[in-house]
């Protein structure tokens, strides 16, 4: 069972070649017609498209591949690798800049309005600051559709709500949707991907088949269908984004796991009778997870954009919500009427955030090893 | 059926509620949160609600949710205003939720059965008869899903009044009945009427001289050339008119038509026995003459020289086949609500027997008369709508445009007000689903005329000299449905209190940019003899 | 193994994926509140018998799995039938929309490659120089711009404000000069993010190739830099781009859903959203099937392309 899995995985996975000698590759021909092998080509390309074109070159020019640094001793030196990565990340100025933007946006979202927690008549103020001059949901704090002014730096919307306050507070929704949706998708994708890659066989087959099926849908169409079923709202949008988001991670992690399972280290652990769970949790996943984390970071940006796209189609958060996408959607016809500020500021906020996330993602990619080309689809 | 003139409430039920899906940006004049004078002096609404809360044993704040559908930006906004107003009283804790249309439709249809704690916002368009507005909303036989009586309001006297209004044919007595009915409804407030709608058309003054807007949704483009309505669009002979459609044409077959868009696209194609003109008067169309022989029998005299687009000539058999074609189809009730059978006397004469005495018969009988080939199954009207109208179906590019061409064999010979043939040769209806794009298209000169522009855009463009706007009070009302099956909404004081809190002026002025009028009663001002002014007994 | 046999084998394996995808769609559409018969008769009080007859007419009275199997049976014979909602042939409806989306997709795809490939090469060659940084930033900006927002802004500036292009598609054949002119804005909108992805991908795979032994060897042999790049590096690096290009179908459909709405473009994206809205299961099903087939076929094509470029792949498996 594992034989088959690893053999299959080898075609698709970079970082594996250094563990394999060319004579074993020749041996693979014997099972060329095995049913079930087929998907690996598309898997491979998905992985390549989603993350790393290096995977592709692995399949096309295996013999010419350069070994990856650190791979031969990946399990042993994981801590020092982390430190090394952090050192590299720190020295990357654009990445730090991106991180700073994300930090500032998050901080602003938190201190935009006080955070209070009420229970049984008591109100506990967790965060007393209020950066936003107005309550974002208070109607008529200014004239409707007014352009930027001193009192309202970003102007006001149709109901006379202060856009500056709304954009500041809106970060709470957009950023938390991004973070939550990605985190939850990871919670689904990582275990499934790990199990698929490690256990292999029919389980692998079943999980990856489901991934394939869901991949056949365009993301927005799937999300529209889900929102149509479960309705609008914060958690429903998060749910839709998780359902469509975990695929990438599962696929990516499975590929990584396949390559790691092949290592002598894991083979040795198995031979020593270490429980599978321990091997998986201690050795396999921690070493396989780096590219998934990079991908996840980048996805925070695309998830925020996706939530905004849902909002644009009227299927995101409720229109009154101060979420960037929902605000943008409301400003659609305002743009034509000349009230450009209603769309420009929330749009700029999304833009800034996604840009910053991408800078961080780039930095992470560079820091976490030679996976220089990780790209992704629109997910 | 409603295809012609929206003779009844069934005109395009889908888009009835969906409205135009328009997104507009509208200002608030700042009076939402400001304490209004009348509120201070009166402070009635909150007291009413408190009284109702006490009577039902409900503690404030009462938690509930107000809903709107995502496709209709204006409705979402007024729902938010109502939400805000209710929360301001401190008596309610109202959430706002927006659903995709299909889910929203299901919520509305099943709210009473599922005892949903939900306030829903909707609109309905009716026809030229008052029955079309009150029957579906208030009659206990029309409790959802068999009608728009969403909160299953049941009141024997209301049913009685609706039924007797339907059976009565004397106009004055009818007016009395509908007045009493509306007074009763204003006391009981099963739902709150918020606004009566307006049909608007905006056009480029350089392309069109003068446009007359038909007041019922679905028949907008009839005004291009209507012998019965004494209206036509002047232009040089052979011109093309480019207008807008808000969605794709779903189904142009009269017995399967399920949205207003299909209605809009086909009114110039089809004609019925009778038609209702722009003022609401019944006019002959394919029938030249008609009389009521007894309460349930009408005799019709047909025009002799009417050709169908497919070459058939109109006979009494066509009329009978048309009516009978409705049996077992989705639009069955358009005809079978009153139809018993047709007796063909000769080629051009026939008698229609009704199942029961039917007040609005004359405005209901004008369903599109279709060729025999359609009844026999040789012609598929879904693919090729065919009638006797002044325009024939030319081509349809799915999702792109719907095109009609002048039908040269049309029966009308011309008179002093309408020429023999329509000057406009081609009507191209462009499908532009995005409201912002519709506005952009008319500004770019790609549309000569648009009837589906959002209210805010209409008033915005109205100020520019290049655009002319034609507005007419429409047979449409917006309303708020209470979950009257659920405490504290079972209490009429609560509903009355909320009714008086609804910021109607703000909704009309700011959400609809002054398009439409504040309304308190279900029969819109379009039906002058039946409409009544504010009836709130507490005021 | 012959390339034909390889292709066939790969094609066969797509079948379960397609079956699964359509089964998921089927259950999704039925899970969504709202019933096709309700759309047909709306809020009307229709005779219960008529309602039942309508349900039976469209097999809606049968259990879900039977409905699915019936549908499947029709599809196998390429018989998509008539939509209960529109009364028009489902196959024809989809066929009338498809060319628009394909045209938009091909245009965007071409444009993204035309921009992305040279930019990526430039960035790779000039690594660390201002040109590299500029292309990197351009790519990031492209990725960070939400396409629906970009579409609106382009429409507003170029169509409404400047009047250079039309707001709605012209009344012209799909393959015509006017149409080509119109399609520029939607194409740019769709291609922006795509071009950014291609740029980055091209740059990274170029870089990787440039670091390889054989390139160094070629340089050492004194070959001109240009020859090295054109002959060796580009060929190897482009495989990655081919991969991504082949996989952009889903990405394009995603974009199309939004972009087609803004530009009133009568394509598959609009059709899908519309049909979901009116619970027109037959059209939703046919569209999803088509998209799934296209996605799977693109994967297949890419695989076969690889197999031709590099026969080892075939033998490896």
């Amino acid at each position: 069972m594992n034989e088959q899995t690893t053999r299959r995985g080898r075609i698709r996975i970079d970082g594996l070649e250094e563990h394999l000698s060319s004579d074993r590759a020749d041996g693979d021909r014997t099972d060329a017609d095995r049913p079930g092998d087929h998907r690996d080509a598309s898997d491979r390309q998905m992985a390549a498209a989603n993350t790393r074109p290096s995977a592709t070159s692995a399949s096309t020019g295996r013999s010419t591949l350069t070994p990856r640094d650190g791979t031969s001793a990946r399990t042993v030196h994981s801590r020092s690798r982390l430190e090394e990565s952090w050192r590299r990340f720190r020295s990357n100025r654009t990445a730090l800049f991106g991180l700073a933007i994300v930090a500032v946006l998050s901080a602003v979202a938190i201190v935009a309005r006080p955070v209070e927690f009420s229970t049984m008549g008591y109100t506990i103020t967790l965060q007393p600051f209020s950066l936003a001059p107005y309550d974002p949901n208070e109607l008529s704090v200014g004239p409707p559709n007014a352009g930027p002014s001193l009192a309202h730096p970003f102007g006001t919307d149709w109901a006379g709500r202060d856009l500056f306050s709304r954009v500041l507070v809106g970060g709470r929704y957009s950023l938390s949707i991004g973070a939550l949706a990605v985190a939850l998708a990871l919670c689904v994708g990582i275990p499934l991907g790990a199990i698929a890659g490690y256990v292999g066989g029919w389980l692998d087959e079943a999980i990856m088949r489901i991934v394939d099926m869901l991949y056949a849908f365009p993301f927005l169409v799937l999300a529209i269908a889900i929102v149509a079923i479960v309705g609008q709202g914060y958690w429903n949008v998060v749910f839709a984004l998780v359902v469509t988001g975990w695929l990438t991670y599962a696929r990516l992690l499975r590929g990584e796991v396949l390559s790691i399972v092949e290592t002598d280290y894991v083979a040795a652990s198995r031979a020593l009778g270490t429980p599978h769970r321990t091997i998986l949790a201690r050795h396999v996943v921690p070493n396989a997870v780096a590219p998934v984390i990079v991908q996840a970071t980048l996805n925070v940006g695309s998830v925020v954009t996706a939530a905004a796209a849902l909002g644009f189609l009227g299927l995101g958060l409720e229109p009154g919500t101060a979420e960037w996408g929902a605000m943008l959607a409301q400003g659609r016809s305002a743009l034509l009427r000349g009230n450009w500020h209603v769309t420009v500021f929330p749009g700029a906020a999304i833009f800034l955030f996604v840009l910053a996330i991408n800078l961080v993602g780039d930095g992470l990619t560079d820091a976490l090893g030679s996976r220089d080309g990780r790209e992704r689809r629109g997910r | 059926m409603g295809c012609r003139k929206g003779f009844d409430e069934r005109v395009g039920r889908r888009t009835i509620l969906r409205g135009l899906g328009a997104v507009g940006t509208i200002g608030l004049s700042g009076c939402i949160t400001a304490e209004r004078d009348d509120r201070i002096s009166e402070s009635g609404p909150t007291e009413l609600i408190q009284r109702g809360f006490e009577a039902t044993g409900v503690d404030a704040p009462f938690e509930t949710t107000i809903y709107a559908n995502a496709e209709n930006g204006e409705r979402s906004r007024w729902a938010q205003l109502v939400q805000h107003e209710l929360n301001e009283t401190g008596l309610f804790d109202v959430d706002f939720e927006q659903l995709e249309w299909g889910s929203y439709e299901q919520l509305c249809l099943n709210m009473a059965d599922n005892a949903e704690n939900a306030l829903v916002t909707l609109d309905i368009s009716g026809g030229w008869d008052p029955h079309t507005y009150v029957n579906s909303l208030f009659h206990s036989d029309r409790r959802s899903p068999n009608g728009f009586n969403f909160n299953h309001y049941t009141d024997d006297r209301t049913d009685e009044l609706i039924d007797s209004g339907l059976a009565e044919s004397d106009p004055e007595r009818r007016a009395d009945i509908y007045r009493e009915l509306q007074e009763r409804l204003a006391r009981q407030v099963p739902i709150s009427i918020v606004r009566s709608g307006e049909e608007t058309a905006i056009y480029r003054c350089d392309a069109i001289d003068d446009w007359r807007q038909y007041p019922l949704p679905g028949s907008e483009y009839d005004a291009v050339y209507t012998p019965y309505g004494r209206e036509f669009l002047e232009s040089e002979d052979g011109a093309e008119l480019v207008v807008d459609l808000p969605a794709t044409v779903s189904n142009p077959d009269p017995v399967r038509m399920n949205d207003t868009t299909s209605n809009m696209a086909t009114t110039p194609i089809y004609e019925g026995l009778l038609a209702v003109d722009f003022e609401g008067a019944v006019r002959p169309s394919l029938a030249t003459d008609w009389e009521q022989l007894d309460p349930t029998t009408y005799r019709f005299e047909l025009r002799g020289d009417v050709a169908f687009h497919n070459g058939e000539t109109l006979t009494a058999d066509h009329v009978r086949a048309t009516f009978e074609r409705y049996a077992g189809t989705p639009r069955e009730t358009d005809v079978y609500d009153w139809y018993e059978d047709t007796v063909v006397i000769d080629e051009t004469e026939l008698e229609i027997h009704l199942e029961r005495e039917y007040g609005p018969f004359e405005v209901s009988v004008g369903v599109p008369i279709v060729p025999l080939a359609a009844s026999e199954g040789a012609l598929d009207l879904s693919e090729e709508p065919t009638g006797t109208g002044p325009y024939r179906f030319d081509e349809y590019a799915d999702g792109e445009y719907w095109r009609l061409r002048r039908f040269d064999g049309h029966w009308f010979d011309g008179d002093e007000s309408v020429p023999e043939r329509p000057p406009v040769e081609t009507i191209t209806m462009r499908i532009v689903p995005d409201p912002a794009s519709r506005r952009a298209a008319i500004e770019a000169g790609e549309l000569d005329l648009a009837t589906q522009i959002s209210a805010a855009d209409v008033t915005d463009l109205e100020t520019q000299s290049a655009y002319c706007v034609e507005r007419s009070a429409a047979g449409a009302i917006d309303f708020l449905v209470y979950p009257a099956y659920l405490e504290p909404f079972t209490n009429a004081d609560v509903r009355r209190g909320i009714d008086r809190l609804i910021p109607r002026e703000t909704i009309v002025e700011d959400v609809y940019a002054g398009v439409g009028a504040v309304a308190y009663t279900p029969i819109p001002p379009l039906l002058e003899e039946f409409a009544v002014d504010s009836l709130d007994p507490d005021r | 193994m012959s390339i034909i046999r390889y292709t066939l084998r790969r094609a066969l394996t797509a079948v379960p994926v397609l079956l699964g995808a359509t089964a998921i769609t089927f259950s999704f559409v039925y899970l969504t509140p709202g019933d096709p018969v309700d759309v047909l008769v709306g809020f009307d009080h229709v005779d219960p018998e008529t309602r039942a007859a309508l349900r039976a007419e469209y097999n809606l009275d049968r259990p879900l799995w039977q409905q699915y199997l019936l549908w499947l049976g029709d599809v196998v014979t390429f018989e998509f039938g008539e939509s209960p909602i529109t009364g028009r042939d489902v196959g024809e409806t989809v066929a009338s929309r498809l060319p628009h989306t394909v045209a938009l997709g091909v245009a965007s795809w071409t444009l993204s490659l035309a921009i992305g490939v040279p930019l990526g090469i430039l960035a790779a060659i000039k690594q660390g120089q201002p040109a590299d940084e500029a292309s990197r930033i351009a790519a990031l900006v492209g990725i960070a711009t939400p396409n629906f927002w970009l579409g609106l802004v382009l429409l507003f500036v170029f169509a409404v404000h400047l009047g250079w292009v039309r707001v709605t598609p012209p009344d012209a054949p799909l393959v015509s000069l006017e149409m080509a002119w119109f399609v520029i804005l939607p194409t740019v909108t769709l291609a922006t993010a795509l071009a950014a992805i291609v740029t980055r991908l091209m740059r990274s795979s170029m870089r990787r190739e440039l670091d390889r032994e054989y390139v160094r060897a070629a340089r050492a042999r004194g070959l001109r830099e240009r020859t090295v790049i054109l002959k060796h590096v580009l060929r190897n690096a482009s495989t990655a781009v081919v991969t991504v290009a082949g996989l952009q179908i889903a990405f394009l459909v995603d974009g199309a859903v939004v972009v087609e709405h803004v530009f009133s473009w009568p394509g598959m994206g609009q059709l899908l959203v519309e049909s979901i809205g009116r619970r027109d299961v037959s059209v939703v099903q046919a569209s999803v099937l088509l998209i799934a087939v296209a996605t799977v076929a693109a994967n297949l094509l890419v695989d076969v392309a690889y197999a031709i470029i590099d026969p080892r792949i075939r033998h490896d498996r």
Side-chain angles (χ1 to χ4, degrees), chain B residues 142-206:
Chain B
R142 303 301 295 272
R143 284 180 292 194
S144 59
N146 287 319
F148 299 129
N149 188 348
F150 301 107
N151 55 13
H152 291 195
Y153 168 68
T154 309
D155 178 60
D156 291 340
R157 181 65 189 147
T158 301
D159 288 357
E160 248 174 70
L161 287 167
I162 293 174
D163 290 338
S164 55
L166 182 65
E168 182 60 63
S169 40
D170 179 79
E172 267 173 41
R173 261 175 292 170
R174 272 197 103 186
D176 287 343
I177 292 170
Y178 285 110
R179 183 174 179 84
E180 188 190 336
L181 175 65
Q182 292 186 85
E183 281 166 356
R184 187 169 185 83
L185 290 171
R187 274 194 305 277
Q188 305 211 340
V189 206
I191 65 174
S192 277
I193 315 294
V194 173
R195 163 185 174 262
S196 67
E198 222 174 284
E199 277 277 282
T200 56
I202 185 149
Y203 53 95
R204 304 183 64 87
C205 309
D206 57 350

Side-chain angles (χ1 to χ4, degrees), chain B residues 303-322:
Chain B
R303 259 175 231 290
D305 51 351
V306 177
F308 282 94
H309 303 156
N310 69 343
E312 291 180 32
T313 306
L314 175 75
T315 63
D317 285 328
H318 284 93
V319 179
R320 187 176 60 185
T322 294

Side-chain angles (χ1 to χ4, degrees), chain B residues 212-233:
Chain B
R212 182 87 190 267
Q213 180 72 3
Y214 198 81
L216 299 184
S219 301
E220 284 83 352
Y221 299 129
D222 236 16
V224 178
Y225 182 80
T226 55
Y228 74 83
R230 314 248 161 95
E231 284 292 336
F232 74 103
L233 184 62

Side-chain angles (χ1 to χ4, degrees), chain B residues 10 256 332 403 430 446, chain C residues 44 50 58 167-169 171:
Chain B
R10 289 181 292 275
R256 311 196 86 89
E332 188 178 54
R403 182 166 293 146
R430 297 211 70 99
E446 285 158 39
Chain C
D44 238 328
T50 307
Y58 301 110
V167 174
T168 53
D171 201 347

Side-chain angles (χ1 to χ4, degrees), chain C residues 15-60:
Chain C
V15 172
V17 172
L18 292 181
L19 282 180
T22 50
I24 293 173
T25 323
F26 215 75
S27 31
F28 263 32
V29 179
Y30 276 90
L31 276 176
T32 9
D35 178 330
V37 173
D38 273 341
V39 175
L40 275 175
V41 303
F43 293 87
D44 238 328
H45 71 119
V46 169
D47 195 31
E49 268 175 46
T50 307
R51 196 177 261 269
L54 285 170
R55 296 196 79 83
E57 189 179 340
Y58 301 110
N59 294 322
L60 294 168

